Amino acid sequence: MSLRESELAHLLPELAARLVGQPLNNAWQPARDHVVLGFLDGTRLLLVPRGPDARLHTLKRRPKNPLKPYSFQGALRAHLSGPLSDLQQVAGERAVDLWFGAHRLHLRLTGKSGGLWLLEGDRVLAAYDGPAPAELPAFAEHGALALPARVDAEPTWDDAIGRFYAIRIRERRTHELRIVVGRALRREVQRLGRLLANLEDDLEKAGRADAVREQADTLAAHLHTVVRGSDHVELPSLDGTGTLTVPLLVDRAPSASLTHLYDRARRLERMGERVLERLDGTEKALARAEEQLGRVETMELEELEGLHRSTRGEEDTGGPRIPGVTTWSGPRGERVLVGRDAPANRRLTFQVGRGDDYWMHLRGKAGSHLLLPMQKGHTPSLEHLLAAAQIAAVHAGVPDGGRAEVQYTRIRDVRSIPGSADARVRVWNEKVLQVVRDPAELTGWSRD
């Protein structure tokens, strides 16, 4: 609840005795509903005009300003100067006037109808939250609000009120972060669970490497007897215990089938090595996320803020599902969004994508647009790019071992072609990846 009238009545004489006559040094607006007045003696007076914690009291340190300043800050710096000449409570209201010569700040601590205005006489020059009205709004009617003060003056009313609201804000921030972090951790547990299941599936697939290599060795031993045109051949096994079925490429020479089998065996072996590397780390990450989720309701604010910072990248690039778009998730939280048709491609590239995101497409062919969401100022790792190129090849139907050229650039360098019905674009500053379709490169990746 905002500052009570009884608390205001105690606080204002204390602030007036300290600040009246002090020259104003600067004014800041660190947030839309926070204004800080800095005086020459180093005192910083916080004015919060609206919300559940509308109040005023001094601050020990000034909060950081946003990258883009609010216009009300400029108005304060342009019109307010000189010493604070008076500080008065408006009779019968939770409102305060701060006078600086002919100018004054009018602060109302009246809940939803609260506000902060800069005036010259009776003319409103600026409002903290938007355009200046022609005149100050009338006070809302209210009954008697003879509520007792919630704090004791220890050592001063200003200190006690500042401490009271610091505790309230900390408790509310802790409650909010427990909800946000808990949601992020549940999502992370689900993601890691899916990743672990995919890795176990990949490990099972990789276990076929020995069988594929045996087929290749058997075909190599009998290559001179194999004729072209069949999709498989029955050959005597190398250990002499029976026969072995070896798959063939129907329209290719038997030697091409031999090369294909050896390539596949090597890919499966590489896949197995990568799966084993990532399996242990994924199991540990899942156990850690489950442990954090189990105690999120008892975490202190500092730990919650640390977890929030670590999950905020995922929060920023998350959001609701986009119609017609497939989402791929990588082992380290990387994401690749893929349009499945022309409307989804347009939506992904020109509505969802932001300037620092990366765009990718199979060069010279119609197909899916890919979006790699990135935090501002960040670029994707080479592993992220190569995996995205493999995803582009998957959605383009490139077979295992097939080659593809994949172009990529920042989303800001992609422009639509006017009148194009199939989401065609022009691309500047592109780079090209030459990739060979290899399932091992997507080890640990999953799609929704």
Side-chain angles (χ1 to χ4, degrees), residues 177-228:
L177 279 182
R178 281 175 178 161
I179 295 173
V180 172
V181 171
R183 184 166 58 240
L185 285 173
R186 281 190 290 274
R187 191 160 50 240
E188 179 69 358
V189 166
Q190 292 170 357
R191 185 187 73 83
L192 289 170
R194 291 194 301 269
L195 174 58
L196 194 61
N198 289 333
L199 287 172
E200 289 170 347
D201 288 344
D202 287 342
L203 190 61
E204 184 176 348
K205 293 176 185 175
R208 297 196 64 247
D210 290 342
V212 173
R213 186 168 290 279
E214 183 183 5
Q215 289 175 336
D217 290 341
T218 302
L219 179 60
H222 300 89
L223 189 62
H224 62 285
T225 67
V226 179
V227 296
R228 181 173 179 168

Side-chain angles (χ1 to χ4, degrees), residues 50 62 78 96 115 149 199 228 237 248 281 299 348 415 433:
R50 193 175 293 175
R62 177 177 67 86
V96 181
L199 287 172
R228 181 173 179 168
S237 61
L248 300 174
M299 287 182 182
L348 195 62
R415 299 287 186 274
L433 291 171

